[in-house]
mmCIF file of all heavy atoms in Angstrom:
data_model
loop_
_atom_site.group_PDB
_atom_site.id
_atom_site.type_symbol
_atom_site.label_atom_id
_atom_site.label_comp_id
_atom_site.label_asym_id
_atom_site.label_seq_id
_atom_site.Cartn_x
_atom_site.Cartn_y
_atom_site.Cartn_z
ATOM 1 N N LEU A 63 19.568 8.692 -19.480
ATOM 2 C CA LEU A 63 19.495 10.182 -19.419
ATOM 3 C C LEU A 63 19.237 10.849 -20.821
ATOM 4 O O LEU A 63 18.425 11.877 -20.929
ATOM 5 C CB LEU A 63 20.816 10.746 -18.935
ATOM 6 C CG LEU A 63 21.034 10.379 -17.440
ATOM 7 C CD1 LEU A 63 22.439 10.843 -17.011
ATOM 8 C CD2 LEU A 63 20.112 10.870 -16.560
ATOM 9 N N ASP A 64 19.824 10.351 -21.799
ATOM 10 C CA ASP A 64 19.599 10.874 -23.185
ATOM 11 C C ASP A 64 18.125 10.742 -23.569
ATOM 12 O O ASP A 64 17.576 11.618 -24.310
ATOM 13 C CB ASP A 64 20.466 10.189 -24.243
ATOM 14 C CG ASP A 64 21.949 10.522 -24.120
ATOM 15 O OD1 ASP A 64 22.266 11.560 -23.418
ATOM 16 O OD2 ASP A 64 22.818 9.675 -24.611
ATOM 17 N N ALA A 65 17.532 9.671 -23.162
ATOM 18 C CA ALA A 65 16.115 9.478 -23.453
ATOM 19 C C ALA A 65 15.167 10.264 -22.546
ATOM 20 O O ALA A 65 13.923 10.383 -22.746
ATOM 21 C CB ALA A 65 15.696 7.966 -23.269
ATOM 22 N N SER A 66 15.674 10.881 -21.494
ATOM 23 C CA SER A 66 14.869 11.634 -20.564
ATOM 24 C C SER A 66 14.596 13.105 -20.915
ATOM 25 O O SER A 66 13.957 13.789 -20.134
ATOM 26 C CB SER A 66 15.495 11.524 -19.182
ATOM 27 O OG SER A 66 15.524 10.162 -18.765
ATOM 28 N N TRP A 67 15.277 13.579 -21.849
ATOM 29 C CA TRP A 67 15.122 15.010 -22.260
ATOM 30 C C TRP A 67 13.705 15.359 -22.767
ATOM 31 O O TRP A 67 13.089 16.242 -22.322
ATOM 32 C CB TRP A 67 16.088 15.461 -23.354
ATOM 33 C CG TRP A 67 17.522 15.707 -22.890
ATOM 34 C CD1 TRP A 67 18.535 14.755 -23.111
ATOM 35 C CD2 TRP A 67 18.058 16.871 -22.312
ATOM 36 N NE1 TRP A 67 19.736 15.310 -22.497
ATOM 37 C CE2 TRP A 67 19.396 16.629 -22.004
ATOM 38 C CE3 TRP A 67 17.423 18.047 -21.926
ATOM 39 C CZ2 TRP A 67 20.151 17.539 -21.453
ATOM 40 C CZ3 TRP A 67 18.239 19.071 -21.425
ATOM 41 C CH2 TRP A 67 19.649 18.803 -21.111
ATOM 42 N N GLY A 68 13.165 14.488 -23.451
ATOM 43 C CA GLY A 68 11.840 14.629 -24.134
ATOM 44 C C GLY A 68 10.811 14.998 -23.249
ATOM 45 O O GLY A 68 9.967 15.968 -23.366
ATOM 46 N N PRO A 69 10.571 14.029 -22.269
ATOM 47 C CA PRO A 69 9.415 14.362 -21.309
ATOM 48 C C PRO A 69 9.455 15.519 -20.407
ATOM 49 O O PRO A 69 8.510 16.231 -20.335
ATOM 50 C CB PRO A 69 9.539 13.034 -20.371
ATOM 51 C CG PRO A 69 10.078 11.958 -21.276
ATOM 52 C CD PRO A 69 11.181 12.711 -22.079
ATOM 53 N N VAL A 70 10.733 15.852 -20.036
ATOM 54 C CA VAL A 70 10.717 17.152 -19.144
ATOM 55 C C VAL A 70 10.571 18.298 -20.014
ATOM 56 O O VAL A 70 9.968 19.391 -19.634
ATOM 57 C CB VAL A 70 12.143 17.213 -18.461
ATOM 58 C CG1 VAL A 70 12.165 16.257 -17.344
ATOM 59 C CG2 VAL A 70 13.409 17.026 -19.249
ATOM 60 N N ARG A 71 11.040 18.286 -21.262
ATOM 61 C CA ARG A 71 10.714 19.461 -22.172
ATOM 62 C C ARG A 71 9.285 19.656 -22.462
ATOM 63 O O ARG A 71 8.863 20.711 -22.451
ATOM 64 C CB ARG A 71 11.483 19.110 -23.662
ATOM 65 C CG ARG A 71 12.973 19.405 -23.452
ATOM 66 C CD ARG A 71 13.640 18.866 -24.724
ATOM 67 N NE ARG A 71 15.165 19.266 -24.728
ATOM 68 C CZ ARG A 71 16.073 18.702 -25.533
ATOM 69 N NH1 ARG A 71 15.735 17.676 -26.251
ATOM 70 N NH2 ARG A 71 17.173 19.127 -25.540
ATOM 71 N N VAL A 72 8.531 18.436 -22.642
ATOM 72 C CA VAL A 72 7.066 18.549 -22.931
ATOM 73 C C VAL A 72 6.450 19.170 -21.614
ATOM 74 O O VAL A 72 5.567 20.012 -21.727
ATOM 75 C CB VAL A 72 6.428 17.212 -23.264
ATOM 76 C CG1 VAL A 72 4.945 17.343 -23.314
ATOM 77 C CG2 VAL A 72 7.064 16.736 -24.636
ATOM 78 N N LEU A 73 6.854 18.723 -20.519
ATOM 79 C CA LEU A 73 6.205 19.218 -19.233
ATOM 80 C C LEU A 73 6.411 20.732 -19.084
ATOM 81 O O LEU A 73 5.466 21.545 -18.759
ATOM 82 C CB LEU A 73 6.876 18.545 -18.035
ATOM 83 C CG LEU A 73 6.297 17.114 -17.781
ATOM 84 C CD1 LEU A 73 7.306 16.444 -16.781
ATOM 85 C CD2 LEU A 73 4.914 17.169 -17.176
ATOM 86 N N VAL A 74 7.586 21.198 -19.369
ATOM 87 C CA VAL A 74 7.989 22.635 -19.295
ATOM 88 C C VAL A 74 7.133 23.443 -20.322
ATOM 89 O O VAL A 74 6.513 24.476 -20.085
ATOM 90 C CB VAL A 74 9.472 22.885 -19.577
ATOM 91 C CG1 VAL A 74 9.756 24.418 -19.718
ATOM 92 C CG2 VAL A 74 10.102 22.382 -18.277
ATOM 93 N N ALA A 75 7.031 22.952 -21.499
ATOM 94 C CA ALA A 75 6.221 23.520 -22.578
ATOM 95 C C ALA A 75 4.738 23.630 -22.198
ATOM 96 O O ALA A 75 4.214 24.623 -22.487
ATOM 97 C CB ALA A 75 6.436 22.898 -23.844
ATOM 98 N N ALA A 76 4.186 22.541 -21.658
ATOM 99 C CA ALA A 76 2.833 22.578 -21.249
ATOM 100 C C ALA A 76 2.620 23.566 -20.074
ATOM 101 O O ALA A 76 1.548 24.270 -20.069
ATOM 102 C CB ALA A 76 2.476 21.166 -20.673
ATOM 103 N N ALA A 77 3.508 23.754 -19.242
ATOM 104 C CA ALA A 77 3.402 24.682 -18.190
ATOM 105 C C ALA A 77 3.393 26.094 -18.672
ATOM 106 O O ALA A 77 2.686 27.055 -18.237
ATOM 107 C CB ALA A 77 4.425 24.505 -17.024
ATOM 108 N N GLN A 78 4.259 26.353 -19.693
ATOM 109 C CA GLN A 78 4.403 27.620 -20.313
ATOM 110 C C GLN A 78 3.127 28.136 -20.973
ATOM 111 O O GLN A 78 2.667 29.229 -20.974
ATOM 112 C CB GLN A 78 5.610 27.653 -21.348
ATOM 113 C CG GLN A 78 6.955 27.741 -20.798
ATOM 114 C CD GLN A 78 8.150 27.710 -21.742
ATOM 115 O OE1 GLN A 78 7.842 27.399 -22.920
ATOM 116 N NE2 GLN A 78 9.317 28.261 -21.422
ATOM 117 N N ARG A 79 2.342 27.061 -21.572
ATOM 118 C CA ARG A 79 1.275 27.371 -22.311
ATOM 119 C C ARG A 79 -0.003 27.478 -21.410
ATOM 120 O O ARG A 79 -0.952 28.320 -21.723
ATOM 121 C CB ARG A 79 1.023 26.309 -23.436
ATOM 122 C CG ARG A 79 -0.166 26.542 -24.311
ATOM 123 C CD ARG A 79 -0.486 25.481 -25.403
ATOM 124 N NE ARG A 79 0.746 25.416 -26.345
ATOM 125 C CZ ARG A 79 0.773 24.557 -27.364
ATOM 126 N NH1 ARG A 79 -0.282 23.691 -27.542
ATOM 127 N NH2 ARG A 79 1.762 24.589 -28.168
ATOM 128 N N HIS A 80 -0.107 26.561 -20.421
ATOM 129 C CA HIS A 80 -1.276 26.374 -19.747
ATOM 130 C C HIS A 80 -1.206 26.774 -18.315
ATOM 131 O O HIS A 80 -2.207 26.635 -17.533
ATOM 132 C CB HIS A 80 -1.796 24.901 -19.815
ATOM 133 C CG HIS A 80 -2.087 24.540 -21.299
ATOM 134 N ND1 HIS A 80 -3.203 24.986 -21.908
ATOM 135 C CD2 HIS A 80 -1.413 23.679 -22.123
ATOM 136 C CE1 HIS A 80 -3.226 24.453 -23.154
ATOM 137 N NE2 HIS A 80 -2.130 23.689 -23.313
ATOM 138 N N GLY A 81 0.011 27.087 -17.819
ATOM 139 C CA GLY A 81 0.158 27.413 -16.406
ATOM 140 C C GLY A 81 0.716 26.237 -15.653
ATOM 141 O O GLY A 81 0.554 25.030 -16.047
ATOM 142 N N ASP A 82 1.319 26.511 -14.432
ATOM 143 C CA ASP A 82 1.999 25.421 -13.659
ATOM 144 C C ASP A 82 0.953 24.330 -13.187
ATOM 145 O O ASP A 82 1.454 23.237 -12.795
ATOM 146 C CB ASP A 82 2.760 26.080 -12.504
ATOM 147 C CG ASP A 82 4.025 26.764 -12.988
ATOM 148 O OD1 ASP A 82 4.499 26.609 -14.111
ATOM 149 O OD2 ASP A 82 4.578 27.690 -12.192
ATOM 150 N N ASP A 83 -0.293 24.790 -13.069
ATOM 151 C CA ASP A 83 -1.262 23.902 -12.483
ATOM 152 C C ASP A 83 -1.396 22.538 -13.249
ATOM 153 O O ASP A 83 -1.929 21.575 -12.774
ATOM 154 C CB ASP A 83 -2.672 24.527 -12.346
ATOM 155 C CG ASP A 83 -2.667 25.493 -11.240
ATOM 156 O OD1 ASP A 83 -1.737 25.476 -10.374
ATOM 157 O OD2 ASP A 83 -3.646 26.392 -11.179
ATOM 158 N N VAL A 84 -1.005 22.549 -14.566
ATOM 159 C CA VAL A 84 -1.074 21.344 -15.454
ATOM 160 C C VAL A 84 -0.071 20.372 -14.989
ATOM 161 O O VAL A 84 -0.089 19.120 -15.339
ATOM 162 C CB VAL A 84 -0.968 21.718 -16.827
ATOM 163 C CG1 VAL A 84 -2.119 22.675 -17.277
ATOM 164 C CG2 VAL A 84 0.490 22.100 -17.286
ATOM 165 N N LEU A 85 1.009 20.664 -14.237
ATOM 166 C CA LEU A 85 2.147 19.824 -13.996
ATOM 167 C C LEU A 85 1.768 18.568 -13.132
ATOM 168 O O LEU A 85 2.261 17.560 -13.406
ATOM 169 C CB LEU A 85 3.286 20.621 -13.317
ATOM 170 C CG LEU A 85 4.047 21.464 -14.231
ATOM 171 C CD1 LEU A 85 5.118 22.310 -13.462
ATOM 172 C CD2 LEU A 85 4.677 20.808 -15.432
ATOM 173 N N GLY A 86 0.950 18.865 -12.044
ATOM 174 C CA GLY A 86 0.552 17.786 -11.118
ATOM 175 C C GLY A 86 -0.221 16.717 -11.898
ATOM 176 O O GLY A 86 0.034 15.536 -11.897
ATOM 177 N N PRO A 87 -1.315 17.180 -12.645
ATOM 178 C CA PRO A 87 -2.180 16.185 -13.403
ATOM 179 C C PRO A 87 -1.346 15.330 -14.453
ATOM 180 O O PRO A 87 -1.451 14.171 -14.687
ATOM 181 C CB PRO A 87 -3.262 16.800 -13.943
ATOM 182 C CG PRO A 87 -3.454 18.065 -13.104
ATOM 183 C CD PRO A 87 -2.031 18.416 -12.611
ATOM 184 N N LEU A 88 -0.361 16.095 -15.168
ATOM 185 C CA LEU A 88 0.429 15.539 -16.231
ATOM 186 C C LEU A 88 1.343 14.433 -15.558
ATOM 187 O O LEU A 88 1.583 13.419 -16.103
ATOM 188 C CB LEU A 88 1.098 16.532 -17.017
ATOM 189 C CG LEU A 88 0.314 17.202 -18.205
ATOM 190 C CD1 LEU A 88 1.140 18.175 -18.856
ATOM 191 C CD2 LEU A 88 -0.046 16.171 -19.248
ATOM 192 N N TYR A 89 2.004 14.856 -14.484
ATOM 193 C CA TYR A 89 2.913 14.053 -13.811
ATOM 194 C C TYR A 89 2.304 12.703 -13.318
ATOM 195 O O TYR A 89 2.764 11.674 -13.468
ATOM 196 C CB TYR A 89 3.629 14.754 -12.658
ATOM 197 C CG TYR A 89 4.705 13.996 -11.890
ATOM 198 C CD1 TYR A 89 5.381 12.989 -12.583
ATOM 199 C CD2 TYR A 89 4.938 14.225 -10.638
ATOM 200 C CE1 TYR A 89 6.371 12.275 -11.922
ATOM 201 C CE2 TYR A 89 5.919 13.541 -9.934
ATOM 202 C CZ TYR A 89 6.664 12.617 -10.561
ATOM 203 O OH TYR A 89 7.544 11.795 -9.824
ATOM 204 N N THR A 90 1.115 12.941 -12.888
ATOM 205 C CA THR A 90 0.391 11.626 -12.300
ATOM 206 C C THR A 90 -0.095 10.787 -13.439
ATOM 207 O O THR A 90 0.160 9.582 -13.357
ATOM 208 C CB THR A 90 -0.949 12.134 -11.668
ATOM 209 O OG1 THR A 90 -0.601 12.828 -10.441
ATOM 210 C CG2 THR A 90 -1.772 10.979 -11.174
ATOM 211 N N ALA A 91 -0.412 11.405 -14.609
ATOM 212 C CA ALA A 91 -0.716 10.471 -15.771
ATOM 213 C C ALA A 91 0.438 9.863 -16.305
ATOM 214 O O ALA A 91 0.488 8.628 -16.596
ATOM 215 C CB ALA A 91 -1.482 11.415 -16.827
ATOM 216 N N ILE A 92 1.579 10.588 -16.461
ATOM 217 C CA ILE A 92 2.771 10.081 -16.957
ATOM 218 C C ILE A 92 3.323 8.935 -16.061
ATOM 219 O O ILE A 92 3.693 7.842 -16.362
ATOM 220 C CB ILE A 92 3.887 11.078 -17.259
ATOM 221 C CG1 ILE A 92 3.489 11.978 -18.351
ATOM 222 C CG2 ILE A 92 5.189 10.421 -17.480
ATOM 223 C CD1 ILE A 92 4.277 13.246 -18.527
ATOM 224 N N GLY A 93 3.353 9.226 -14.695
ATOM 225 C CA GLY A 93 3.911 8.330 -13.656
ATOM 226 C C GLY A 93 3.127 7.046 -13.655
ATOM 227 O O GLY A 93 3.701 6.024 -13.501
ATOM 228 N N THR A 94 1.780 7.109 -13.703
ATOM 229 C CA THR A 94 0.962 5.863 -13.598
ATOM 230 C C THR A 94 1.241 5.005 -14.722
ATOM 231 O O THR A 94 1.383 3.836 -14.645
ATOM 232 C CB THR A 94 -0.530 6.405 -13.464
ATOM 233 O OG1 THR A 94 -0.724 7.086 -12.295
ATOM 234 C CG2 THR A 94 -1.504 5.113 -13.516
ATOM 235 N N GLU A 95 1.284 5.623 -15.956
ATOM 236 C CA GLU A 95 1.521 4.753 -17.091
ATOM 237 C C GLU A 95 2.981 4.184 -17.214
ATOM 238 O O GLU A 95 3.109 3.022 -17.642
ATOM 239 C CB GLU A 95 1.134 5.595 -18.424
ATOM 240 C CG GLU A 95 1.312 4.826 -19.762
ATOM 241 C CD GLU A 95 0.092 3.915 -19.917
ATOM 242 O OE1 GLU A 95 -0.955 3.950 -19.173
ATOM 243 O OE2 GLU A 95 0.163 3.090 -20.899
ATOM 244 N N TYR A 96 3.860 4.939 -16.836
ATOM 245 C CA TYR A 96 5.324 4.608 -16.894
ATOM 246 C C TYR A 96 5.762 3.754 -15.770
ATOM 247 O O TYR A 96 6.278 2.681 -16.076
ATOM 248 C CB TYR A 96 6.112 5.863 -17.088
ATOM 249 C CG TYR A 96 7.658 5.682 -17.241
ATOM 250 C CD1 TYR A 96 8.051 5.254 -18.610
ATOM 251 C CD2 TYR A 96 8.524 5.806 -16.184
ATOM 252 C CE1 TYR A 96 9.442 5.044 -18.713
ATOM 253 C CE2 TYR A 96 9.828 5.544 -16.442
ATOM 254 C CZ TYR A 96 10.378 5.174 -17.715
ATOM 255 O OH TYR A 96 11.755 4.921 -17.860
ATOM 256 N N HIS A 97 5.459 4.186 -14.602
ATOM 257 C CA HIS A 97 6.059 3.466 -13.515
ATOM 258 C C HIS A 97 5.131 2.337 -12.987
ATOM 259 O O HIS A 97 5.554 1.185 -12.671
ATOM 260 C CB HIS A 97 6.311 4.340 -12.413
ATOM 261 C CG HIS A 97 7.359 5.367 -12.538
ATOM 262 N ND1 HIS A 97 8.656 4.988 -12.753
ATOM 263 C CD2 HIS A 97 7.415 6.711 -12.673
ATOM 264 C CE1 HIS A 97 9.432 6.101 -12.967
ATOM 265 N NE2 HIS A 97 8.630 7.125 -12.825
ATOM 266 N N VAL A 98 3.939 2.481 -12.948
ATOM 267 C CA VAL A 98 2.935 1.526 -12.460
ATOM 268 C C VAL A 98 2.596 0.523 -13.484
ATOM 269 O O VAL A 98 2.569 -0.719 -13.271
ATOM 270 C CB VAL A 98 1.621 2.159 -11.724
ATOM 271 C CG1 VAL A 98 0.731 1.232 -11.206
ATOM 272 C CG2 VAL A 98 2.161 3.249 -10.697
ATOM 273 N N GLU A 99 2.054 1.019 -14.622
ATOM 274 C CA GLU A 99 1.732 0.154 -15.742
ATOM 275 C C GLU A 99 2.897 -0.475 -16.473
ATOM 276 O O GLU A 99 2.789 -1.567 -17.223
ATOM 277 C CB GLU A 99 0.882 0.918 -16.656
ATOM 278 C CG GLU A 99 -0.493 1.460 -16.022
ATOM 279 C CD GLU A 99 -1.358 0.281 -15.372
ATOM 280 O OE1 GLU A 99 -1.292 -0.906 -16.002
ATOM 281 O OE2 GLU A 99 -1.963 0.602 -14.452
ATOM 282 N N GLY A 100 4.053 0.135 -16.341
ATOM 283 C CA GLY A 100 5.291 -0.413 -16.868
ATOM 284 C C GLY A 100 5.431 -0.138 -18.522
ATOM 285 O O GLY A 100 6.229 -0.816 -19.136
#
Side-chain angles (χ1 to χ4, degrees):
L63 293 176
D64 289 344
S66 296
W67 284 99
V70 291
R71 285 168 169 160
V72 173
L73 283 163
V74 169
Q78 286 182 333
R79 182 181 297 180
H80 299 285
D82 290 342
D83 287 347
V84 303
L85 290 175
L88 276 179
Y89 182 31
T90 293
I92 292 169
T94 300
E95 185 72 12
Y96 183 74
H97 294 298
V98 181
E99 299 302 325

